[in-house]
Amino acid sequence: MAGPDTPAQLIEARAEAWPLAKPFVIARGAKTEAHVIVAEVRAAGHKGIGEAVPYARYGETVDASVAALKGVTGPLTRAKLTELLPPGAARNAVDCALWDLEAKLAHKRAWELAGLPAPQPAMTCYTLSLGDPDQMATDARAVPHLKLLKLKLGGAGDDARMAAVRAARPDARIVADANEAWHPDQLAAFLAAAKTAEVELIEQPLPAGADEALAHIDRVVPVCADESAHTSADLPGLANRYDAVNIKLDKTGGLTEALVMAKAAKAQGFRIMIGSMVATSLAAAPAMLLAGYADWVDLDGPLLLARDRSPPLAIEDGWISPPEPELWG
């Protein structure tokens, strides 16, 4: 009888584009569609599926990722996959597809196979695109039912942006993501402004590889590594610079390494954000298995789309529920 370790065959790798409800703007630019890749694997009459987002910041493209997947041949297991593809979006798509397949073969949920308790609903961040302070305040007021806001920042004027959103939403929890847009000489003033605005966390203020200044400043607001933190191997080098890490399956290369990284991050004293790129519920679903490790969950990609997969993740008033087996896992 087929079981969870049954080798699978990759049967399809494709690109998809999903329109956004409105343009999504960060420090690096804007987009109007979520460009994703999808992998499907099959064994013993069952099919598993996974989704990922190639990211140009890491030298990835949709076309190259699909081509890399189509170059994967032969029987696949999650262990074998790590030998064939490096951490990144392409490996993530297949790794999550294999988890989905294994759950179907075993007639269990993916979290049971991972030895985890059943995930519970979690409050997700809702991202406000980068804009001028007045626009971001208006956007914050437009979602009064969402209580955990994530501000995209961009450098000059970020102090005013944080202050404006706090004034607009005194009831909300706020985190912020600078996407590597700050300079070392801005750190002290912007962190002080974040503290005044009661911002809980600042993600990746300085460029990855140029963040030494974080080790020599009083971090009055916790600082989270994103672009600086890809896999568990990166964690030791972050210890004196960051207080938290953002774990994304597209960076780790899938759920398998994400679970390793979450356990290691906890053991090394980091707080954890579970994040994802802008994508459909299929990409966010596996990350829900990590919610139990998280201090912050940032899986709002489906909320930013004009339409989602069916069935989607259930998200109500910012609370995101675990996936149904018809979606994933």
Side-chain angles (χ1 to χ4, degrees):
M1 179 179 293
D5 297 323
T6 302
Q9 295 287 337
L10 178 66
I11 59 171
E12 186 170 3
R14 63 180 183 272
E16 296 178 351
W18 294 78
L20 304 185
K22 60 181 180 180
F24 182 74
V25 184
I26 68 170
R28 296 189 190 96
K31 60 182 178 181
T32 59
E33 291 182 314
H35 292 275
V36 308
I37 59 172
V38 175
E40 296 183 5
V41 296
R42 186 182 298 277
H46 291 275
K47 183 177 73 174
I49 188 169
E51 178 186 317
V53 181
Y55 195 27
R57 169 65 181 81
Y58 305 137
E60 299 176 324
T61 68
V62 168
D63 289 346
S65 297
V66 170
L69 291 180
K70 290 183 176 179
V72 172
T73 59
L76 280 176
T77 62
R78 287 187 287 111
K80 181 66 174 178
L81 184 62
T82 63
E83 302 172 9
L84 299 176
L85 292 171
R91 194 168 94 187
N92 177 29
V94 183
D95 182 80
C96 290
L98 289 170
W99 276 99
D100 185 42
L101 176 65
E102 289 166 19
K104 291 171 179 172
L105 290 171
H107 303 289
K108 294 183 177 181
R109 298 308 309 271
W111 55 79
E112 294 179 272
L113 299 181
L116 297 172
Q120 301 300 308
M123 181 177 286
T124 181
C125 297
Y126 177 76
T127 304
L128 301 182
S129 285
L130 175 65
D132 63 54
D134 288 344
Q135 182 60 57
M136 294 185 74
T138 297
D139 291 345
R141 283 191 293 266
V143 288
H145 58 298
L146 301 176
K147 304 300 184 181
L148 178 54
L149 303 179
K150 180 174 180 177
L151 317 184
K152 286 294 187 178
L153 301 179
D158 281 348
D159 47 356
R161 293 181 178 99
M162 291 184 283
V165 173
R166 172 50 70 201
R169 288 294 306 277
D171 62 307
R173 296 171 58 198
I174 297 174
V175 298
D177 183 3
N179 284 119
E180 304 179 283
W182 292 3
H183 298 288
D185 59 5
Q186 296 173 315
L187 270 176
F190 281 171
L191 286 176
K195 183 175 177 65
T196 298
E198 298 180 87
V199 173
E200 296 181 11
L201 187 74
I202 296 290
E203 268 189 84
Q204 199 69 43
L206 300 178
D211 51 8
E212 172 66 20
L214 291 170
H216 307 290
I217 191 169
D218 183 13
R219 299 191 297 272
V220 296
V221 173
V223 177
C224 179
D226 184 3
E227 286 85 351
S228 291
H230 289 244
T231 70
S232 56
D234 297 320
L235 294 174
L238 307 177
N240 296 322
R241 304 180 185 189
Y242 294 95
D243 309 288
V245 292
N246 188 338
I247 299 175
K248 294 177 179 174
L249 275 62
D250 282 318
K251 294 186 299 179
T252 65
L255 179 61
T256 303
E257 167 61 18
L259 288 165
V260 173
M261 187 174 181
K263 293 173 184 176
K266 280 292 187 185
Q268 293 175 43
F270 290 102
R271 301 174 76 184
I272 293 176
M273 173 180 277
I274 300 303
S276 68
M277 308 301 291
V278 181
T280 79
S281 285
L282 179 59
M288 278 298 295
L289 273 64
L290 300 166
Y293 292 99
D295 299 276
W296 301 272
V297 171
D298 181 25
L299 301 176
D300 66 336
L303 292 177
L304 305 177
L305 301 178
R307 58 184 178 84
D308 196 3
R309 296 190 188 275
S310 180
L313 287 170
I315 308 177
E316 183 173 357
D317 292 338
W319 286 91
I320 183 169
S321 294
E324 296 297 327
E326 293 79 12
L327 172 64
W328 182 89

